[in-house]
Amino acid sequence: MEFKDFNRRNFIAAVTTTTVATALSSIFPVMGNTKRTSGKLALLGGTPIRAKVWPKWPAMLADDKMMESIIKTTKSGIWSRIQSPTGTVATFEKEYARLTGTNFCVGTGSGTQALSTCVEALGLGPGDEVITSPYSDFGTVSAILTSRALPVLADLDRESFQMDPDEVEKRINKNTRAIIPVHIMGMPCNMEKIMALAKKHNLKVIEDACQVNFARYQGKQVGAIGDLGCFSFQASKQISCGEGGAIIGNDAELMDRCFTVQNHGTNRKGSNVTIGPKYRMNEFEGAILMGQLSSAKERFERRNVNAAYLSSKLKGFKGLVPQKQYEGTESSGYYKYAMSYHKEHFNNVERSKFLKALAAEGINLSPYIARGFHVEPWIDEILNLKEYKTMYSAARLKRYREEMNFPNCDLICNEEMVVLEGSGSLLGSTQDMDDVINAIMKVYENRDKL
Ligand SMILES: *Cc1c(COP(=O)(O)O)cnc(C)c1O
């Protein structure tokens, strides 16, 4: 399709949605329902596309059901999970396992704690190498470091923003014990290739599913494809209790070990059997989760519908390309709706300026993660620690430093990534999505004025 056709075709498609036109003409009566995108940029004194505020996350979860759930727990006096086998945490674990189609779930105090518990439960530690993404929440790396294993990073696929499986394979050596694929933005990784690599090299797989609930890939539930899957319920996440997390899995013995590890090494029978921090989820966190769980799937579906709508509108547009989906991706968690910004199609306007112009139109997209983990200070810190100097050869640590070079990750962070918030914006109506598209088109049509 011709690039120059894009704006007209999509513009017409957007404004002929009568509901949109009506809604917008009531906000901007003088503008009527035509030629909105060719108006003067709000950044340069024109009228913004959107005046309405977006849904606020996670405050929008605070409904009567949530309040009831919190009050009930407060009054019950059951504030810690060890006080009751049928409290909110145990109930949540059961329900979350059911919703994700897995046999077992263990709640934790955060996604980082969930990951850390899995690393410890799988016996990964000093001398071991674990391969993961340079583009994630630092909790992913932190979980490996906490057990004094070596986090080995692999560069990204420029279009999916996920670890490139070919780069992963290049990093595998005789000390590699596990892979932690990160389903970044909630979009499933190339799990087919990652699982094949794991099988070939006899590696464990911990899925960092902290940005995804419920998504499906090749007929399977994301988070239940590897040995263990980890989730986060931190305030920004799609299921949220401020700080919280969970592990899911189908192996009874391994999941029992996860329970023991996060229970300061004390097993379900009360014996103190191993090393473990205390990472237990508390009953108030369980209450907040139970207060929203019944509507979480609806929100998941809403995000998927809106994302599909945005992608259909952006189809053929080279200036802003939605995150690539691997074959067999049935749905995404849509923690964020992510796109690659290609300035060469925007008259070479820098991303920061594009985002500023959009924000002035009432549409807030962000560059998300500022830089990859390979350009952060923790590397020099660990390379000077006794544990690492003792457990890894000098040659290995030298090479480790030299290999911290990821051009695709840099390009994504520095120039290309733009995201729309999944919880909040992506929970809006179709009209809200038209605002997003119309604002993008307006900025695009005025690109030579920026
Ligand atoms: C949020 C997040 C984590 C960490 O979870 P917390 O609950 O914040 O500790 C880990 N990995 C990814 C990809 C995340 O988005």
Side-chain angles (χ1 to χ4, degrees):
M1 165 178 191
E2 274 297 301
F3 183 47
K4 64 179 188 313
D5 290 346
F6 172 76
N7 46 23
R8 213 178 65 234
R9 186 188 64 114
N10 281 269
F11 174 64
I12 291 165
V15 295
T16 51
T17 311
T18 48
T19 48
V20 182
T22 313
L24 275 155
S25 62
S26 65
I27 301 168
F28 308 120
V30 283
M31 296 174 72
N33 58 8
T34 55
K35 290 283 174 201
R36 283 197 327 278
T37 64
S38 30
K40 193 176 182 185
L41 285 174
L43 189 67
L44 305 174
T47 312
I49 289 281
R50 183 182 171 91
K52 269 200 304 184
V53 295
W54 292 96
K56 288 267 184 290
W57 188 265
M60 65 181 284
L61 291 175
D63 60 5
D64 290 349
K65 197 168 170 178
M66 168 81 75
M67 292 308 155
E68 252 169 60
S69 181
I70 297 167
I71 290 167
K72 200 173 146 206
T73 291
T74 308
K75 287 185 175 167
S76 76
I78 309 283
W79 293 1
S80 161
R81 69 170 302 161
I82 63 163
Q83 291 175 268
S84 167
T86 56
T88 58
V89 176
T91 308
F92 174 76
E93 288 172 340
K94 230 164 129 183
E95 193 53 20
Y96 198 70
R98 190 185 66 79
L99 285 169
T100 54
T102 45
N103 293 342
F104 307 100
C105 172
V106 172
T108 59
S110 72
T112 305
Q113 292 178 9
L115 287 159
S116 187
T117 298
C118 293
V119 168
E120 195 63 36
L122 286 168
L124 308 170
D128 297 334
E129 300 192 10
V130 179
I131 301 174
T132 194
S133 172
Y135 191 74
S136 181
D137 179 279
F138 196 58
T140 313
V141 163
S142 161
I144 301 165
L145 292 174
T146 303
S147 290
R148 306 303 191 265
L150 190 67
V152 173
L153 308 179
D155 204 4
L156 308 179
D157 176 294
R158 193 172 159 191
E159 293 169 13
S160 71
F161 325 130
Q162 316 277 15
M163 269 196 299
D164 179 339
D166 294 334
E167 293 297 314
V168 173
E169 186 155 31
K170 281 188 211 160
R171 298 278 184 269
I172 296 173
N173 64 40
K174 66 178 191 335
N175 293 322
T176 307
R177 298 272 319 278
I179 307 175
I180 304 186
V182 178
H183 303 291
I184 199 76
M185 317 296 175
M187 189 67 83
C189 294
N190 190 341
M191 287 306 285
E192 187 179 322
K193 281 203 174 166
I194 286 169
M195 293 310 289
L197 278 180
K199 196 164 172 211
K200 182 174 161 195
H201 298 277
N202 192 26
L203 307 173
K204 299 291 181 192
V205 175
I206 303 168
E207 287 180 69
D208 182 339
C210 287
Q211 300 193 350
V212 50
N213 320 107
F214 311 134
R216 294 186 69 81
Y217 168 87
Q218 296 187 349
K220 297 183 187 119
Q221 191 82 44
V222 172
I225 302 171
D227 295 275
L228 292 164
C230 294
F231 300 84
S232 166
F233 309 124
Q234 184 267 340
S236 71
K237 303 293 159 72
Q238 304 95 311
I239 294 178
S240 170
C241 62
E243 302 288 353
I247 305 161
I248 60 167
N250 287 317
D251 180 328
E253 204 176 312
L254 180 57
M255 285 302 289
D256 212 41
R257 195 165 166 77
C258 286
F259 179 89
T260 302
V261 167
Q262 62 85 47
N263 193 34
H264 57 38
T266 304
N267 70 14
R268 288 190 193 269
K269 294 194 187 107
S271 287
N272 304 317
V273 294
T274 188
I275 301 171
K278 191 176 162 205
Y279 281 164
R280 291 198 300 245
M281 178 183 277
N282 73 52
E283 291 287 305
F284 294 103
E285 290 160 343
I288 295 179
L289 294 172
M290 285 314 295
Q292 69 194 269
L293 205 55
S294 61
S295 53
K297 257 222 163 118
E298 248 167 67
R299 284 188 288 276
F300 159 78
E301 275 153 23
R302 179 84 229 145
R303 289 193 302 276
N304 273 275
V305 166
N306 278 335
Y309 183 78
L310 289 175
S311 296
S312 75
K313 293 289 177 189
L314 290 171
K315 200 163 180 206
F317 183 41
K318 294 186 184 122
L320 219 44
V321 180
Q323 181 176 17
K324 173 179 149 183
Q325 304 194 6
Y326 288 105
E327 212 177 307
T329 298
E330 293 162 27
S331 48
S332 164
Y334 286 115
Y335 176 57
K336 318 263 182 196
Y337 180 83
M339 296 160 274
S340 295
Y341 175 69
H342 295 289
K343 70 175 177 194
E344 63 274 25
H345 297 294
F346 268 88
N347 199 36
N348 283 321
V349 169
E350 291 299 330
R351 179 181 61 177
S352 57
K353 194 153 224 187
F354 165 69
L355 293 178
K356 214 167 150 188
L358 267 182
E361 300 297 338
I363 305 299
N364 285 300
L365 301 188
S366 89
Y368 191 32
I369 297 168
R371 56 201 163 267
F373 298 146
H374 57 295
V375 289
E376 296 273 7
W378 64 275
I379 297 167
D380 292 323
E381 171 79 12
I382 69 156
L383 290 180
N384 284 311
L385 288 180
K386 184 175 76 217
E387 305 94 296
Y388 284 89
K389 282 192 196 164
T390 310
M391 293 309 300
Y392 302 85
S393 72
R396 176 63 186 111
L397 294 181
K398 183 166 177 284
R399 190 159 50 83
Y400 183 72
R401 191 82 196 74
E402 286 163 2
E403 284 176 354
M404 286 288 176
N405 178 22
F406 306 119
N408 280 352
C409 183
D410 293 339
L411 204 57
I412 288 163
C413 292
N414 300 338
E415 296 182 35
E416 296 186 345
M417 177 62 69
V418 296
V419 301
L420 180 74
E421 289 305 315
S423 292
S425 309
L426 208 56
L427 289 172
S429 62
T430 307
Q431 291 153 241
D432 291 329
M433 298 306 107
D434 280 326
D435 284 353
V436 174
I437 295 297
N438 286 328
I440 290 168
M441 283 304 96
K442 185 176 169 189
V443 174
Y444 175 69
E445 290 189 345
N446 287 282
R447 62 195 178 281
D448 57 341
K449 298 189 186 69
L450 282 169

